[in-house]
Amino acid sequence: MSEAQQVYIDGISNIAMINSNMRIDCFSFGVDPQADPESPPVEENLRLVLSPQGFLRAYEVFDRMFKEMESRGVIQRNKANAQEENVAVAGEPLQNNSPNFNA
């Protein structure tokens, strides 16, 4: 069995559908000793390109894992306000900086 490539990401910076494919830009936090530790530099490090069917399969896998993590108490839903729903991991709210989700 060959060894699969592994890339660590801290999150998703953008997602868009272009030419019938989902393009998901991923990032990791960079290291800069002079940067504010509360807002480390962000480095784009991977782009996933999925067909709509592949995106749906990935969504279903993530949804199942989300529900499993929620049932074990690893993550929990927080109601920030009536129109927005966030998820907290270890008490920290998620931040979504993607312009695609500013409704």
Side-chain angles (χ1 to χ4, degrees):
M1 179 177 204
S2 66
E3 189 173 318
Q5 181 183 4
Q6 295 184 26
V7 177
Y8 179 84
I9 67 166
D10 284 303
I12 294 173
S13 58
N14 288 299
I15 184 169
M17 180 178 244
I18 302 171
N19 293 332
S20 299
N21 287 305
M22 300 304 299
R23 297 175 191 276
I24 304 169
D25 290 336
C26 304
F27 72 89
S28 60
F29 294 119
V31 177
D32 182 353
Q34 298 177 3
D36 177 4
E38 295 298 314
S39 57
V42 173
E43 300 173 353
E44 301 286 330
N45 65 349
L46 177 69
R47 174 173 291 149
L48 297 173
V49 181
L50 301 160
S51 68
Q53 295 81 10
F55 180 80
L56 179 59
R57 286 191 297 271
Y59 174 81
E60 289 170 348
V61 169
F62 279 113
D63 188 52
R64 279 196 308 270
M65 181 55 69
F66 177 87
K67 289 175 181 171
E68 178 67 23
M69 292 171 71
E70 188 177 36
S71 74
R72 292 180 182 202
V74 176
I75 58 176
Q76 60 186 355
R77 293 178 191 266
N78 290 332
K79 293 287 184 178
N81 60 46
Q83 297 170 336
E84 184 178 326
E85 187 173 304
N86 292 321
V87 176
V89 179
E92 296 294 324
L94 293 178
Q95 294 180 351
N96 187 347
N97 298 324
S98 173
N100 294 311
F101 296 102
N102 293 334

